[in-house]
Amino acid sequence: MADLVEKSKKLSAYAAVDDNLLPSHRVIGIGSGSTVVYVAERVGQASNKSDLVCVPTGFQSRQLIIDNGLRLGSTEEYPEIDIAFDGADEIDSNLGLIKGGGACLFQEKLVAACSKQLVVVADYRKDTGVLGKGWRKGVPIEVVPAAYTKVSLDLVKLGGKPVVRSGLPAKAGPVVTDNGNFIIDCDFGEIPPAQVAELNAKIKALVGVVETGLFVGLASKAYIGNADGTITKKTV
Ligand SMILES: O=C[C@H](O)[C@H](O)[C@H](O)COP(=O)(O)O
């Protein structure tokens, strides 16, 4: 099972890069997580890799870019990115996403918003069609530390069940993001695809919320690696 999942991740990542990285592309967004490891590997094999600048979505992603001999850039230098590749915790039928299982959602959304297109890479477990169906840990929400109790109360009023993400066993106390903030995981049950944008807007409007792990209207394609070695390609 673990081997099948790993193979599916690599399959989706390699196919996504092979199909979508064009010779004209110069600035590439490289996302976070275990699937994107294979994206960075494949981009690092490109014959024109010295012409590329890669913009990371966090500390892990930055290391992947360096480890694969690619040139690092930033959103400050490159606010217009040709294409970004990133993983997802869950994918719905509109290519709405839950992201942030690895606490990287803010910089991921920033890179996605800077990119002309976002291509999602994922194994077959993520493609459930409805957010909250397979990913039962809740929607990750990045909050300013001083606001976490206030935002938690607000999220209950929105119908959610918020839990501040713990750093245990590696760290006593909450997880601290690459931006120095906390993550609240908020369970809203299953979120119908047509209601994702509205829920995202309501959470985003709360004072203290930096960004949400609901990605709506950002992904243009998804490459799902299947257990049988095939790939499902989805577009909106
Ligand atoms: O914060 C983490 C990111 O949103 C990841 O892209 C997401 O958790 C998917 O990661 P993986 O490819 O390891 O399942």
Coordinates of all heavy atoms in Angstrom, one line a residue, residues 144-214:
V144 N -2.8 34.6 13.2 CA -1.8 35.3 14.0 C -1.9 34.8 15.5 O -3.0 34.7 16.0 CB -2.1 36.8 14.0 CG1 -1.2 37.6 14.9 CG2 -1.9 37.3 12.5
P145 N -0.8 34.5 16.1 CA -0.9 33.8 17.5 C -1.8 34.6 18.5 O -2.6 33.9 19.2 CB 0.6 33.8 17.9 CG 1.4 33.7 16.6 CD 0.6 34.5 15.6
A146 N -1.7 35.9 18.5 CA -2.5 36.7 19.5 C -4.0 36.5 19.3 O -4.8 36.8 20.2 CB -2.1 38.1 19.5
A147 N -4.4 36.0 18.1 CA -5.8 36.0 17.7 C -6.4 34.6 17.8 O -7.6 34.4 17.5 CB -6.0 36.6 16.3
Y148 N -5.6 33.6 18.2 CA -6.1 32.2 18.1 C -7.4 31.9 18.9 O -8.2 31.2 18.4 CB -5.0 31.2 18.3 CG -4.7 30.8 19.7 CD1 -5.4 29.7 20.2 CD2 -3.8 31.4 20.4 CE1 -5.2 29.3 21.5 CE2 -3.5 31.0 21.7 CZ -4.2 29.9 22.3 OH -4.0 29.6 23.6
T149 N -7.5 32.5 20.1 CA -8.7 32.1 20.9 C -9.9 32.8 20.3 O -11.0 32.3 20.2 CB -8.6 32.5 22.4 OG1 -8.0 33.9 22.4 CG2 -7.6 31.6 23.1
K150 N -9.7 34.1 19.8 CA -10.8 34.9 19.2 C -11.3 34.2 17.9 O -12.5 34.0 17.7 CB -10.3 36.3 19.0 CG -11.4 37.2 18.3 CD -10.9 37.6 16.9 CE -11.9 38.4 16.2 NZ -12.2 37.9 14.9
V151 N -10.3 33.8 17.1 CA -10.7 33.1 15.8 C -11.4 31.8 16.1 O -12.3 31.4 15.4 CB -9.4 33.0 14.9 CG1 -9.8 32.1 13.7 CG2 -8.9 34.4 14.5
S152 N -10.9 31.1 17.1 CA -11.5 29.8 17.4 C -13.0 30.0 17.8 O -13.9 29.2 17.3 CB -10.8 29.1 18.6 OG -9.5 28.8 18.3
L153 N -13.3 31.0 18.6 CA -14.7 31.3 18.9 C -15.5 31.6 17.6 O -16.6 31.2 17.5 CB -14.8 32.5 19.9 CG -14.3 32.2 21.3 CD1 -14.3 33.5 22.2 CD2 -15.2 31.1 22.0
D154 N -14.9 32.5 16.8 CA -15.6 32.8 15.5 C -15.9 31.6 14.7 O -16.9 31.5 14.0 CB -14.7 33.8 14.7 CG -14.5 35.2 15.4 OD1 -15.3 35.5 16.2 OD2 -13.5 35.9 15.0
L155 N -14.9 30.7 14.7 CA -15.1 29.5 13.8 C -16.2 28.6 14.3 O -17.0 28.0 13.5 CB -13.8 28.7 13.7 CG -12.7 29.4 12.9 CD1 -11.3 28.8 13.1 CD2 -13.0 29.4 11.4
V156 N -16.4 28.5 15.6 CA -17.5 27.8 16.2 C -18.8 28.4 15.7 O -19.8 27.7 15.3 CB -17.4 27.7 17.7 CG1 -18.7 27.2 18.3 CG2 -16.2 26.9 18.2
K157 N -18.9 29.8 15.7 CA -20.1 30.5 15.2 C -20.4 30.2 13.8 O -21.5 30.2 13.3 CB -20.0 32.0 15.5 CG -20.1 32.3 16.9 CD -19.9 33.8 17.1 CE -19.6 34.2 18.6 NZ -18.9 35.4 18.7
L158 N -19.3 29.9 13.0 CA -19.5 29.5 11.6 C -19.9 28.0 11.4 O -20.0 27.6 10.3 CB -18.2 29.8 10.8 CG -17.8 31.3 10.5 CD1 -16.6 31.4 9.7 CD2 -19.0 32.0 9.8
G159 N -20.0 27.3 12.5 CA -20.4 25.9 12.4 C -19.2 24.9 12.4 O -19.4 23.7 12.2
G160 N -18.0 25.4 12.7 CA -16.9 24.5 12.7 C -16.5 24.0 14.0 O -16.9 24.4 15.1
K161 N -15.5 23.0 14.0 CA -15.0 22.5 15.2 C -13.5 22.7 15.2 O -12.7 21.9 14.6 CB -15.2 21.0 15.4 CG -16.7 20.7 15.5 CD -16.9 19.2 15.7 CE -18.4 18.8 15.6 NZ -18.6 17.6 14.9
P162 N -13.0 23.9 15.8 CA -11.6 24.2 15.6 C -10.7 23.6 16.7 O -11.1 23.4 17.8 CB -11.6 25.7 15.9 CG -12.8 26.0 16.7 CD -13.8 24.9 16.5
V163 N -9.5 23.2 16.2 CA -8.5 22.7 17.1 C -7.2 23.3 16.7 O -6.8 23.3 15.5 CB -8.4 21.1 17.0 CG1 -7.2 20.6 17.8 CG2 -9.7 20.4 17.3
V164 N -6.5 23.9 17.7 CA -5.1 24.5 17.4 C -4.2 23.3 17.2 O -4.1 22.4 18.0 CB -4.6 25.4 18.6 CG1 -3.2 25.9 18.3 CG2 -5.6 26.5 18.7
R165 N -3.4 23.3 16.1 CA -2.6 22.2 15.7 C -1.4 22.1 16.7 O -0.7 23.1 16.9 CB -2.1 22.3 14.3 CG -1.4 20.9 13.8 CD -0.9 21.0 12.4 NE -2.0 21.2 11.4 CZ -1.8 21.3 10.1 NH1 -0.6 21.3 9.7 NH2 -2.8 21.5 9.3
S166 N -1.2 20.9 17.3 CA -0.2 20.7 18.3 C 1.1 20.4 17.6 O 1.1 19.7 16.5 CB -0.6 19.6 19.2 OG 0.5 19.2 19.9
G167 N 2.2 20.8 18.1 CA 3.5 20.4 17.6 C 4.1 19.1 18.2 O 5.1 18.6 17.7
L168 N 3.3 18.5 19.1 CA 3.8 17.2 19.7 C 3.8 16.1 18.7 O 3.0 16.1 17.8 CB 2.8 16.8 20.9 CG 3.0 17.7 22.1 CD1 1.9 17.3 23.1 CD2 4.3 17.5 22.8
P169 N 4.7 15.2 18.7 CA 5.7 15.0 19.8 C 7.0 15.8 19.6 O 7.8 15.8 20.5 CB 6.0 13.5 19.7 CG 5.8 13.1 18.3 CD 4.7 14.0 17.8
A170 N 7.1 16.4 18.4 CA 8.4 17.1 18.1 C 8.6 18.4 18.9 O 9.7 18.8 19.2 CB 8.5 17.4 16.6
K171 N 7.4 19.0 19.2 CA 7.5 20.3 19.9 C 6.3 20.4 20.9 O 5.2 20.2 20.5 CB 7.5 21.5 18.9 CG 7.4 22.8 19.5 CD 7.1 23.9 18.5 CE 6.8 25.3 19.1 NZ 5.5 25.4 19.8
A172 N 6.6 20.8 22.1 CA 5.5 21.1 23.1 C 4.9 22.4 22.7 O 5.6 23.4 22.3 CB 6.1 21.2 24.5
G173 N 3.6 22.5 22.7 CA 2.9 23.7 22.2 C 2.5 23.6 20.8 O 2.7 22.6 20.1
P174 N 2.0 24.7 20.2 CA 1.4 24.7 18.9 C 2.5 24.6 17.8 O 3.6 25.0 18.0 CB 0.6 26.0 18.7 CG 1.0 26.8 19.9 CD 1.7 26.0 20.9
V175 N 2.1 24.1 16.6 CA 2.9 24.2 15.4 C 3.1 25.7 15.1 O 2.1 26.4 15.2 CB 2.2 23.5 14.2 CG1 2.8 23.9 12.9 CG2 2.2 22.0 14.4
V176 N 4.3 26.1 14.7 CA 4.5 27.5 14.3 C 4.9 27.4 12.8 O 5.8 26.6 12.4 CB 5.7 28.1 15.1 CG1 6.0 29.5 14.6 CG2 5.3 28.1 16.6
T177 N 4.2 28.2 12.0 CA 4.4 28.1 10.5 C 5.7 28.8 10.1 O 6.3 29.5 11.0 CB 3.3 28.8 9.8 OG1 3.3 30.2 10.0 CG2 1.9 28.3 10.2
D178 N 6.1 28.7 8.9 CA 7.2 29.4 8.3 C 7.1 30.9 8.5 O 8.1 31.6 8.4 CB 7.4 29.0 6.8 CG 7.9 27.6 6.6 OD1 8.4 27.0 7.6 OD2 7.8 27.1 5.5
N179 N 5.9 31.4 8.7 CA 5.6 32.8 8.9 C 5.4 33.2 10.3 O 5.0 34.3 10.6 CB 4.4 33.2 8.1 CG 4.4 32.5 6.7 OD1 5.3 32.7 5.9 ND2 3.4 31.7 6.5
G180 N 5.7 32.3 11.3 CA 5.6 32.6 12.7 C 4.2 32.6 13.2 O 3.9 33.1 14.3
N181 N 3.3 31.9 12.5 CA 1.9 31.9 13.0 C 1.4 30.5 13.4 O 2.2 29.6 13.3 CB 1.0 32.4 11.8 CG 1.2 33.8 11.4 OD1 1.3 34.7 12.3 ND2 1.4 34.0 10.1
F182 N 0.2 30.4 14.0 CA -0.4 29.1 14.4 C -1.3 28.6 13.3 O -1.7 29.3 12.4 CB -1.2 29.3 15.6 CG -0.4 29.6 16.9 CD1 -1.1 30.0 18.1 CD2 1.0 29.6 16.9 CE1 -0.4 30.3 19.2 CE2 1.7 30.0 18.1 CZ 1.0 30.3 19.2
I183 N -1.6 27.3 13.4 CA -2.6 26.7 12.5 C -3.7 26.2 13.3 O -3.5 25.5 14.3 CB -2.0 25.5 11.7 CG1 -0.8 25.9 10.8 CG2 -3.1 24.7 10.9 CD1 -1.3 26.6 9.5
I184 N -4.9 26.6 12.9 CA -6.1 26.0 13.5 C -6.7 25.0 12.4 O -6.9 25.4 11.2 CB -7.2 27.1 13.8 CG1 -6.7 28.0 15.0 CG2 -8.5 26.4 14.2 CD1 -7.6 29.1 15.3
D185 N -6.9 23.8 12.8 CA -7.6 22.8 11.9 C -9.1 22.8 12.3 O -9.4 22.6 13.4 CB -7.0 21.4 12.1 CG -5.6 21.4 11.5 OD1 -5.4 21.7 10.4 OD2 -4.7 21.1 12.3
C186 N -9.9 23.2 11.3 CA -11.4 23.4 11.7 C -12.2 22.4 10.8 O -12.3 22.6 9.6 CB -11.8 24.8 11.5 SG -13.4 25.2 12.2
D187 N -12.9 21.5 11.5 CA -13.7 20.5 10.8 C -15.1 21.2 10.5 O -15.8 21.6 11.4 CB -13.9 19.3 11.7 CG -14.7 18.2 11.1 OD1 -15.1 18.3 9.9 OD2 -14.9 17.2 11.8
F188 N -15.4 21.2 9.2 CA -16.8 21.7 8.8 C -17.6 20.6 8.2 O -18.6 20.9 7.5 CB -16.6 22.9 7.8 CG -16.1 24.2 8.3 CD1 -14.7 24.5 8.2 CD2 -16.9 25.0 9.0 CE1 -14.3 25.7 8.7 CE2 -16.5 26.2 9.5 CZ -15.1 26.6 9.4
G189 N -17.1 19.4 8.4 CA -17.8 18.2 7.7 C -17.5 18.3 6.2 O -16.6 18.9 5.8
E190 N -18.4 17.7 5.5 CA -18.3 17.7 4.0 C -18.7 19.1 3.5 O -19.8 19.6 3.9 CB -19.1 16.6 3.4 CG -18.5 15.2 3.7 CD -19.2 14.1 2.9 OE1 -19.8 14.4 1.9 OE2 -19.0 12.9 3.4
I191 N -17.9 19.7 2.6 CA -18.2 21.0 2.1 C -18.6 20.8 0.6 O -17.7 20.5 -0.2 CB -17.0 21.9 2.2 CG1 -16.4 21.9 3.6 CG2 -17.4 23.4 1.8 CD1 -15.0 22.5 3.7
P192 N -19.9 21.0 0.2 CA -20.3 20.8 -1.2 C -19.5 21.8 -2.1 O -19.2 22.9 -1.7 CB -21.7 21.2 -1.2 CG -22.2 21.0 0.2 CD -21.0 21.3 1.1
P193 N -19.0 21.3 -3.2 CA -18.2 22.1 -4.1 C -18.7 23.5 -4.3 O -18.0 24.5 -4.4 CB -18.1 21.3 -5.4 CG -18.2 19.9 -4.9 CD -19.2 19.9 -3.8
A194 N -20.0 23.7 -4.5 CA -20.6 25.0 -4.7 C -20.6 25.9 -3.6 O -20.8 27.1 -3.7 CB -22.1 24.8 -5.2
Q195 N -20.2 25.4 -2.4 CA -20.2 26.2 -1.2 C -18.8 26.5 -0.6 O -18.6 27.2 0.4 CB -21.0 25.5 0.0 CG -22.5 25.5 -0.3 CD -23.3 24.7 0.7 OE1 -22.8 24.5 1.8 NE2 -24.4 24.2 0.3
V196 N -17.8 26.1 -1.4 CA -16.4 26.3 -0.9 C -16.0 27.7 -0.9 O -15.4 28.2 0.1 CB -15.4 25.4 -1.7 CG1 -14.0 25.7 -1.3 CG2 -15.8 23.9 -1.6
A197 N -16.4 28.4 -2.0 CA -16.0 29.8 -2.1 C -16.6 30.7 -1.0 O -15.9 31.5 -0.4 CB -16.4 30.4 -3.5
E198 N -17.9 30.4 -0.7 CA -18.6 31.2 0.3 C -17.9 30.9 1.7 O -17.7 31.9 2.5 CB -20.0 30.8 0.3 CG -20.9 31.7 1.2 CD -22.3 31.2 1.3 OE1 -22.7 30.3 0.5 OE2 -23.0 31.7 2.2
L199 N -17.7 29.7 2.0 CA -17.1 29.4 3.3 C -15.7 30.0 3.4 O -15.3 30.6 4.5 CB -17.0 27.8 3.5 CG -16.3 27.4 4.8 CD1 -17.1 27.9 6.0 CD2 -16.2 25.9 4.9
N200 N -14.9 29.9 2.3 CA -13.6 30.5 2.3 C -13.7 32.0 2.6 O -12.9 32.5 3.4 CB -12.9 30.3 1.0 CG -11.5 30.8 0.9 OD1 -10.7 30.5 1.8 ND2 -11.3 31.7 0.0
A201 N -14.6 32.7 2.0 CA -14.7 34.1 2.2 C -15.1 34.5 3.6 O -14.6 35.4 4.2 CB -15.8 34.7 1.2
K202 N -16.0 33.6 4.2 CA -16.4 33.9 5.6 C -15.2 33.7 6.6 O -15.0 34.5 7.5 CB -17.5 32.9 6.0 CG -18.8 33.3 5.5 CD -19.9 32.4 5.9 CE -21.3 32.7 5.4 NZ -22.2 31.6 5.5
I203 N -14.4 32.7 6.4 CA -13.3 32.5 7.3 C -12.2 33.6 7.0 O -11.7 34.1 8.0 CB -12.6 31.1 7.0 CG1 -13.6 30.0 7.2 CG2 -11.4 30.9 7.9 CD1 -13.1 28.6 6.7
K204 N -12.0 33.9 5.8 CA -11.0 34.9 5.4 C -11.3 36.3 6.1 O -10.4 37.1 6.4 CB -10.9 35.0 3.9 CG -9.8 35.7 3.3 CD -8.4 35.1 3.5 CE -7.3 36.1 3.4 NZ -7.0 36.5 2.0
A205 N -12.6 36.5 6.3 CA -13.0 37.8 6.8 C -12.8 38.0 8.3 O -12.9 39.1 8.8 CB -14.5 38.0 6.4
L206 N -12.5 36.9 9.0 CA -12.3 37.0 10.4 C -11.0 37.7 10.7 O -9.9 37.3 10.2 CB -12.3 35.6 11.0 CG -13.5 34.7 10.8 CD1 -13.3 33.3 11.3 CD2 -14.8 35.4 11.4
V207 N -11.0 38.7 11.6 CA -9.8 39.4 12.0 C -8.9 38.4 12.7 O -9.3 37.6 13.6 CB -10.1 40.6 13.0 CG1 -8.8 41.2 13.5 CG2 -11.0 41.6 12.2
G208 N -7.6 38.3 12.3 CA -6.7 37.4 12.9 C -6.3 36.2 11.9 O -5.3 35.5 12.1
V209 N -7.2 36.0 10.9 CA -6.9 35.0 9.9 C -6.0 35.5 8.9 O -6.2 36.5 8.3 CB -8.2 34.4 9.3 CG1 -7.9 33.6 8.1 CG2 -9.1 33.7 10.3
V210 N -4.9 34.8 8.7 CA -3.9 35.2 7.6 C -4.3 34.6 6.3 O -4.4 35.3 5.3 CB -2.5 34.7 8.0 CG1 -1.5 35.0 6.9 CG2 -2.0 35.3 9.3
E211 N -4.7 33.3 6.3 CA -5.1 32.7 5.1 C -5.7 31.3 5.4 O -5.6 30.8 6.5 CB -3.9 32.5 4.1 CG -4.2 32.3 2.7 CD -5.3 33.1 2.1 OE1 -5.1 34.3 1.6 OE2 -6.4 32.6 2.1
T212 N -6.5 30.8 4.5 CA -7.2 29.5 4.7 C -6.6 28.5 3.7 O -6.1 28.8 2.7 CB -8.7 29.6 4.4 OG1 -8.9 29.4 3.0 CG2 -9.3 30.9 4.8
G213 N -6.8 27.3 4.1 CA -6.3 26.2 3.3 C -7.3 25.7 2.2 O -7.2 24.7 1.6
L214 N -8.4 26.5 2.1 CA -9.3 26.3 1.0 C -8.9 27.0 -0.2 O -8.8 28.3 -0.2 CB -10.7 26.8 1.4 CG -11.4 26.0 2.5 CD1 -12.7 26.7 2.9 CD2 -11.7 24.6 2.1

